[in-house]
Amino acid sequence: MANKTEKASSIIKEFSRFAKAYDKYNIIQSEVAKTLVSQLPSSTYRTIIDIGAGSGKVYQNLIEHNIVFERFIALDSSSEMLALHPEEKCMEKVCADFNLPETFEALNSKEETLLLSSSALQWSRDLDVTLSQLSRLSDTAFFAIFTSNTFKTLHQVAGLDSPIYSIEALKKAIDTYYEASYEIRQYKLHFGSVHEMFRYIKKSGVSGGEKRLGYKETKVLMKQYPLDYLEFEVLFVNAKKI
């Protein structure tokens, strides 16, 4: 099993490799971004920082919801993904890894800042370190984080542990730095065939680059998987800095 550093590198590589196909396959991530933005309490902000901005689903939803802001910072570790992100005069694109403390030094803002992150923080190498850094950027944050119950049946059939955090681990880390309210949402994505399902896993980036089954094991899993859908679980977080 990959150590934490290798795991983070594989995530960046996987998203970069399939960047051009990502918008075709990120159905659930798009819905998650839409829900996250719909929960914002105000329509006007000075500065918004999007951690793990990807191809810009959060930004697009902000525009669709008529959210007004003076400055927008889109941070992502993949330059290929950021290349797909919309560009505006008020926007700054930052290609950097949120796992590295030095990333946040350049993001410090004296202005009132809203911190957003959709479908990204589940890939933090060390959630405590990441949240410690994030909490210094803003007093207010809204997160949407996939939990270990994503692909629950798939992992059970394969005999694998999820590579991402459980709800309990997420809440414990978040509660260290924020007073937060939580909402859990489950999603199902149906497929016409098992082959189509596994193609989605590969090209959507939801596996985070985790590749722990060989060819023969994958063939067996495809035969044994009992569902015609994949399961997803997302923890939505409304957080205020302690």
Side-chain angles (χ1 to χ4, degrees):
M1 184 174 178
N3 63 34
K4 290 182 178 181
T5 302
E6 291 169 343
K7 175 180 168 183
S9 298
S10 67
I11 293 162
I12 295 171
K13 180 179 179 181
E14 191 77 1
F15 277 104
S16 297
R17 182 182 174 192
F18 296 111
K20 291 183 178 179
Y22 182 73
D23 276 346
K24 179 180 177 182
Y25 290 94
N26 71 340
I27 299 168
I28 300 298
Q29 292 94 329
S30 295
E31 184 62 29
V32 169
K34 181 179 179 180
T35 299
L36 181 71
V37 171
S38 72
Q39 296 177 347
L40 299 184
S42 176
S43 60
T44 305
Y45 296 93
R46 291 285 300 277
T47 298
I48 296 178
I49 302 177
D50 183 9
I51 303 296
S55 61
K57 290 303 178 184
V58 166
Y59 175 81
Q60 291 166 7
N61 277 282
L62 289 170
I63 300 303
E64 290 174 9
H65 283 76
N66 297 313
I67 305 295
V68 178
F69 44 85
E70 298 178 16
R71 184 183 180 213
F72 186 90
I73 300 174
L75 184 143
D76 200 274
S77 57
S78 168
S79 59
E80 289 87 349
M81 293 296 287
L82 279 178
L84 301 175
H85 197 291
E87 295 185 8
E88 297 292 343
K89 290 182 179 179
C90 67
M91 182 183 299
E92 178 184 352
K93 293 184 180 182
V94 178
C95 186
D97 185 354
F98 62 66
N99 288 293
L100 303 177
E102 54 265 33
T103 292
F104 299 93
E105 294 174 6
L107 293 179
N108 284 333
S109 175
K110 296 179 181 179
E111 304 170 347
E112 182 182 343
T113 300
L114 172 67
L115 189 64
L116 302 177
S117 183
S118 182
S119 307
L121 293 181
Q122 65 269 10
W123 301 121
S124 167
R125 287 203 301 267
D126 187 320
L127 198 57
D128 185 73
V129 172
T130 300
L131 289 169
S132 173
Q133 297 293 334
L134 291 178
S135 66
R136 297 174 186 175
L137 294 179
S138 172
D139 292 337
T140 305
F142 287 79
F143 303 137
I145 311 172
F146 282 92
T147 81
S148 60
N149 282 330
T150 296
F151 296 174
K152 181 178 180 180
T153 300
L154 184 75
H155 288 139
Q156 288 176 342
V157 173
L160 296 173
D161 294 326
S162 173
I164 59 178
Y165 297 98
S166 67
I167 290 176
E168 293 76 20
L170 289 170
K171 288 184 176 181
K172 181 179 179 181
I174 292 167
D175 287 344
T176 302
Y177 301 96
Y178 296 97
E179 290 184 1
S181 59
Y182 301 97
E183 179 186 358
I184 300 168
R185 294 198 181 195
Q186 282 91 20
Y187 301 85
K188 292 180 180 179
L189 189 58
H190 291 261
F191 297 87
S193 69
V194 176
H195 287 280
E196 184 182 332
M197 183 185 303
F198 277 74
R199 189 182 307 117
Y200 166 85
I201 294 172
K202 182 179 181 180
K203 294 197 172 184
S204 67
V206 292
S207 66
E210 289 285 317
K211 198 172 184 178
R212 294 179 288 168
L213 292 177
Y215 176 77
K216 291 183 179 179
E217 294 169 309
T218 301
K219 293 287 285 186
V220 171
L221 176 60
M222 291 173 71
K223 290 181 179 180
Q224 294 181 344
Y225 189 71
L227 308 174
D228 67 348
Y229 59 85
L230 288 171
E231 305 143 302
F232 301 81
E233 184 175 80
V234 179
L235 181 67
F236 288 90
V237 185
N238 179 348
K240 300 288 185 182
K241 183 178 177 180
I242 295 175

